[in-house]
C-alpha cells in the first residue's frame, strides 16, 4: 500500500455506505483529490470533525484502485468553526469552495497557486477586513486568472487599445472599445470598472473606497464572467447576499 501526504482544503463531502464519506479536497500537490474517509460518520471517529467543508488539513492517504483512503488527518486551520458562525461569510465561502472545485482539473497535478489563493480568501473571510461579497468577487476573478481566464479591464480585450472603455463582454474576455463592441455588451459605470480592476489586482484601498451601486454592478459582472467560463452558474451563489 503506497502512502502519501499533502495539505488541502475540504471542498465537499457526501455519504458513502452507512458510516463512510467521500471527501473532496483541493490539495497543494495533487489538485482535486476525492478520497474515502472510513467511519467518519460514527460518533467515535477520531477525525470526522476535521473532514468537514472549509477545514484546512494535513492528510495522509493510501492510494487505492478507484479512490484513495484517508488514514491520518491533522488540523492546520479550523475555518469551519469560524465561518459557521457568520452567515454572510459562510455563504460566500461556500461559493468559493464550489468555484475551486469547478476550476481545478482532476489531473493529479500540483495546484499551488489555486490552493494558496483559497487559503488566503478563507482567512480574509474569517478576519472580515472587507465585506464577504467583495472578498468573494476578488477571489473568483483571481481564481479565473490563475486558470487562464484573466479578464481585461484596462485595454480592449480584442484589439488591445488602451482604455478606459465603456463596454464589457464576457465572451470576448473583458472591456471592449467602441470599434470592437458587440451586441449584448454590458455598459458598466467607470467607477465599476475601476472597482473590478481593483478586485482583480487586490488593490484593497480602491476596493474599500467603492460605493454600493458599483459593488452590486461589479458582482453581477463577475458572476456573468464566471458563468460564461464554467458554462453554467454556481448553485451556491443563490444564497450569497450581494
Amino acid at each position: 500500500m503506497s502512502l502519501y501526504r499533502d495539505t488541502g482544503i475540504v471542498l465537499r463531502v457526501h455519504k458513502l455506505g452507512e458510516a463512510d464519506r467521500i471527501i473532496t479536497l483541493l490539495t497543494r500537490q495533487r489538485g482535486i483529490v476525492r478520497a474515502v474517509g472510513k467511519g467518519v460518520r460514527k460518533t467515535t471517529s477520531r477525525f470526522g470533525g476535521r473532514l468537514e467543508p472549509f477545514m484546512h488539513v494535513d492528510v495522509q492517504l493510501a492510494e487505492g484502485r478507484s479512490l484513495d483512503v484517508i488514514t491520518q488527518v491533522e488540523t492546520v486551520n479550523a475555518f469551519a468553526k469560524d465561518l459557521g458562525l457568520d452567515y454572510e461569510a459562510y455563504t460566500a465561502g461556500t461559493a468559493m469552495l464550489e468555484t475551486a472545485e469547478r476550476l481545478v482539473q482532476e489531473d493529479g497535478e500540483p495546484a499551488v497557486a489555486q490552493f494558496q489563493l483559497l487559503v488566503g480568501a478563507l482567512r480574509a473571510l474569517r478576519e472580515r477586513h472587507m465585506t464577504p461579497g467583495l472578498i468573494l468577487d476578488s477571489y473568483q476573478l483571481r481564481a479565473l486568472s490563475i486558470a487562464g481566464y484573466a479578464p481585461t479591464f484596462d485595454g480592449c480585450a480584442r484589439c488591445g487599445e488602451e482604455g478606459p472603455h465603456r463596454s464589457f463582454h464576457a465572451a470576448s474576455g473583458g472591456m471592449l472599445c467602441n470599434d470592437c463592441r458587440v451586441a449584448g455588451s454590458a455598459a458598466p459605470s467607470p467607477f465599476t470598472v475601476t472597482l473590478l480592476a481593483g478586485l482583480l489586482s487586490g488593490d484593497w484601498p480602491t476596493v474599500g473606497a467603492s460605493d454600493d451601486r458599483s459593488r452590486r454592478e461589479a458582482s453581477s459582472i463577475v458572476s456573468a464572467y464566471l458563468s460564461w467560463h464554467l458554462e453554467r452558474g454556481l448553485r451556491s451563489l443563490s444564497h450569497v447576499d450581494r
Side-chain angles (χ1 to χ4, degrees):
M1 183 182 295
S2 179
L3 299 175
Y4 67 93
R5 297 193 72 90
D6 209 337
T7 54
I9 297 287
V10 179
L11 303 180
R12 186 161 59 94
V13 302
H14 62 270
K15 296 177 181 178
L16 179 67
E18 295 184 357
D20 304 339
R21 278 183 178 150
I22 295 178
I23 314 295
T24 302
L25 305 105
L26 171 61
T27 67
R28 185 182 183 94
Q29 298 300 328
R30 299 197 178 203
I32 297 293
V33 170
R34 303 185 198 280
V36 177
K38 290 188 174 293
V40 297
R41 290 164 54 202
K42 295 180 180 178
T43 56
T44 55
S45 172
R46 291 178 296 129
F47 47 73
R50 300 172 192 168
L51 293 173
E52 296 290 341
F54 299 111
M55 294 297 286
H56 179 194
V57 292
D58 181 288
V59 291
Q60 177 177 278
L61 302 99
E63 292 184 343
R65 289 185 178 179
S66 56
L67 291 172
D68 295 347
V69 178
I70 297 172
T71 58
Q72 291 183 14
V73 185
E74 297 294 335
T75 301
V76 179
N77 282 297
F79 292 123
K81 176 182 177 182
D82 300 308
L83 299 183
L85 301 175
D86 184 332
Y87 180 77
E88 283 187 84
Y90 176 83
T91 53
T94 299
M96 290 178 184
L97 300 188
E98 187 179 354
T99 300
E101 185 174 2
R102 296 279 298 278
L103 282 178
V104 180
Q105 300 296 316
E106 291 185 60
D107 54 10
E109 295 297 317
V112 178
Q114 289 283 10
F115 173 76
Q116 290 178 332
L117 179 66
L118 182 58
V119 172
L122 294 177
R123 185 176 292 116
L125 282 179
R126 181 176 64 185
E127 295 172 355
R128 265 269 198 176
H129 293 320
M130 282 285 170
T131 62
L134 289 173
I135 297 170
L136 171 60
D137 288 337
S138 179
Y139 166 77
Q140 289 180 327
L141 286 174
R142 296 167 85 176
L144 282 162
S145 180
I146 292 170
Y149 308 124
T152 299
F153 296 122
D154 45 10
C156 175
R158 287 194 167 184
C159 70
E161 180 185 344
E162 291 187 11
H165 302 301
R166 290 299 309 274
S167 301
F168 179 87
H169 191 243
S172 299
M175 303 302 296
L176 298 177
C177 66
N178 289 334
D179 292 336
C180 294
R181 185 183 184 278
V182 297
S185 297
S189 74
F191 302 106
T192 299
V193 177
T194 298
L195 171 57
L196 286 164
L199 290 167
L200 178 59
S201 65
D203 181 356
W204 294 110
T206 295
V207 171
S210 61
D211 59 72
D212 289 342
R213 180 179 178 180
S214 298
R215 293 178 182 187
R216 289 192 297 271
E217 192 172 35
S219 289
S220 67
I221 287 175
V222 173
S223 296
Y225 191 70
L226 182 70
S227 295
W228 169 260
H229 285 289
L230 296 181
E231 299 182 350
R232 59 186 172 88
L234 301 180
R235 290 176 297 175
S236 53
L237 276 183
S238 63
H239 303 291
V240 176
D241 183 8
R242 291 171 131 171

